[in-house]
């Protein structure tokens, strides 16, 4: 597939200087958070000669182990400005595009199966998005879209793309958002990365506010089968591992200011073996970190 959704199952060179995994302090207290014991995998991602990643926005993989890296290269038709890529239980590929204002569902061969929003036409009604940032799915196949950069809301659609409900508005109160940047679902709970309000808000599947966690500036969320929530914070240059009660159980931290290139995890993904993959916009970089 020749769009900016690069299918990468081979390897690309990786800087090993980036991640030091030093202990960091919680912004909720002065306690020291245990460091997650990971190391960068050198030379994991490689691209064909003459090809490069450009502003890497997101990464996902399917059940067959194929890796999808969504980056902001020179695109032909489908994509304008890559933001996130997710893969559903049937190995369909979902992309959010903050430049085109659409969410696309593609089959593994790259054929568009469903389009939500209107191409290159922003708006705030039920037919339009304004820079949608992420997409998630519940066990019934319903689709949840974080319509975040331009609108501060979440919309829920059924599997056919029919709107079921919407919630949220600009603000800092419960159920309000200031740039809902990522969304993830664990059982019957919806986790929304309310980035500029520096919190993760938690809702039920009908959009009812339940609680929030103040953990820094959440950029990306990923939930593993054992119910841990991984959160990337590009401002702090770190990744947090969080349990179901909102307790930080570990952190990966980038180098201190002035001691290395800034760690910029825009979105993250965690594989079955607990390897962590990062997508970094500013360094134009995708990386893999494996447990030590």
């Amino acid at each position: 597939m020749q769009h900016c959704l690069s299918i990468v199952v081979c390897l690309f060179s990786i800087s090993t200087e980036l991640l030091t995994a030093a202990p960091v302090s919680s912004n909720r207290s002065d306690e020291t958070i245990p460091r997650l014991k990971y190391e960068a995998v050198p030379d994991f991602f490689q691209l064909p000669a003459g090809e490069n990643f450009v502003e890497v926005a997101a990464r996902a993989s399917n059940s067959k182990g194929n890796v999808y890296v969504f980056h902001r290269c020179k695109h032909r038709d489908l994509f304008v400005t890559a933001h996130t890529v997710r893969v559903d239980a049937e190995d369909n590929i979902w992309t959010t595009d903050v430049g085109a204002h659409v969410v696309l569902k593609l089959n593994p061969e790259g054929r568009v199966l469903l389009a939500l929003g209107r191409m290159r036409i922003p708006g705030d009604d039920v037919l339009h998005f304004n820079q949608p940032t992420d997409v998630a799915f519940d066990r019934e196949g319903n689709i949840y879209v974080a319509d975040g950069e331009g609108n501060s809301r979440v919309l829920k659609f059924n599997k056919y793309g029919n709107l079921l409900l919407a919630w949220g508005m600009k603000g800092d109160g419960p159920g309000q958002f200031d740039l809902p940047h990522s969304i993830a679902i664990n059982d019957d709970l919806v986790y929304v990365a309310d980035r500029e309000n520096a919190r993760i808000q938690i809702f039920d599947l009908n959009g009812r506010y339940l609680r929030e966690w103040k953990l820094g500036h959440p950029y990306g969320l990923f939930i593993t089968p054992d119910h841990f929530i991984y959160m990337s914070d590009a401002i702090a240059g770190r990744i947090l591992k969080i349990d179901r009660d909102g307790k930080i159980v570990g952190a990966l931290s980038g180098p201190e200011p002035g001691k290395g290139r800034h760690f910029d995890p825009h979105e993250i993904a965690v594989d079955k073996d607990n390897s962590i993959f990062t997508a970094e916009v500013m360094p134009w970089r995708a990386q893999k970190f494996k447990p030590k």
Side-chain angles (χ1 to χ4, degrees):
M1 191 170 65
Q2 298 301 315
H3 307 298
C4 289
L5 186 63
S6 298
I7 301 176
V8 187
V9 293
C10 50
L11 313 174
F12 188 61
S13 61
I14 299 174
S15 167
T16 58
E17 69 178 2
L18 176 65
L19 204 62
T20 60
V24 295
S25 296
S26 168
N27 63 353
R28 296 183 300 170
S29 70
D30 292 329
E31 65 181 347
T32 299
I33 301 171
R35 63 182 179 184
L36 296 176
K37 296 181 180 180
Y38 279 80
E39 60 185 359
V41 178
D43 301 322
F44 183 77
F45 286 107
Q46 291 182 357
L47 297 179
E51 296 289 333
N52 295 282
F53 286 137
V54 178
E55 294 190 354
V56 182
R59 176 269 183 201
S61 61
N62 66 12
S63 64
K64 298 178 178 61
N66 294 327
V67 177
Y68 303 91
V69 178
F70 200 25
H71 66 119
R72 297 170 183 173
C73 62
K74 184 178 180 181
H75 16 67
R76 294 186 177 182
D77 51 6
L78 283 185
F79 309 116
V80 178
T81 306
H83 200 266
T84 56
V85 58
R86 301 279 191 178
V87 175
D88 66 20
E90 299 176 347
D91 276 349
N92 295 304
I93 307 158
W94 293 75
T95 62
T96 62
D97 190 323
V98 295
H101 309 289
V102 295
V103 176
L104 297 181
K105 175 185 179 182
L106 305 95
N107 69 9
E109 290 71 43
R111 178 189 174 196
V112 176
L113 303 177
L114 179 68
L116 301 174
R118 294 296 180 268
M119 190 71 168
R120 299 178 183 264
I121 304 176
D124 58 7
D125 58 24
V126 298
L127 297 177
H128 297 81
F129 301 126
N130 192 338
Q131 302 182 72
T133 49
D134 202 4
V135 61
F137 325 99
D138 64 22
R139 288 177 292 189
E140 304 300 320
N142 296 311
I143 307 156
Y144 298 72
V145 176
D147 190 17
E149 292 276 1
N151 297 322
S152 294
R153 62 181 184 174
V154 173
L155 295 93
K156 177 180 178 180
F157 302 84
N158 66 16
K159 61 184 179 181
Y160 304 108
N162 300 313
L163 183 70
L164 299 177
L165 62 92
W167 74 88
M169 60 183 296
K170 183 84 168 183
D172 58 9
Q176 298 177 336
F177 303 110
D178 190 356
L179 210 174
H181 195 263
S182 186
I183 188 168
I185 295 176
N186 185 30
D187 294 333
D188 295 330
L189 297 178
V190 181
Y191 296 78
V192 181
D194 189 9
R195 195 182 84 182
E196 298 307 297
N197 282 326
R199 62 186 179 180
I200 297 173
Q201 293 197 70
I202 305 169
F203 304 86
D204 66 18
L205 296 178
N206 292 315
R208 182 172 68 92
Y209 172 86
L210 300 175
R211 55 191 173 274
E212 66 183 47
W213 300 336
K214 290 277 192 177
L215 302 172
H217 291 81
Y219 273 66
L221 298 177
F222 190 93
I223 301 177
T224 55
D226 55 358
H227 307 291
F228 284 100
I229 300 97
Y230 287 76
M231 181 194 107
S232 61
D233 184 338
I235 292 177
R238 67 180 184 177
I239 296 169
L240 302 179
K241 181 180 180 181
I242 308 160
D243 69 16
R244 299 182 76 170
D245 296 321
K247 178 183 178 181
I248 301 172
V249 298
L252 256 57
S253 181
E256 296 178 5
K259 295 186 178 181
R261 297 174 65 188
H262 179 59
F263 184 39
D264 185 48
H266 180 259
E267 297 289 341
I268 54 174
V270 183
D271 270 5
K272 295 177 181 179
D273 64 355
N274 287 323
S275 293
I276 298 175
F277 290 81
T278 63
E280 301 178 59
V281 173
M282 296 302 291
W284 293 22
R285 183 168 46 202
Q287 300 200 83
K288 177 181 178 178
F289 302 95
K290 67 177 182 180
K292 290 183 179 180

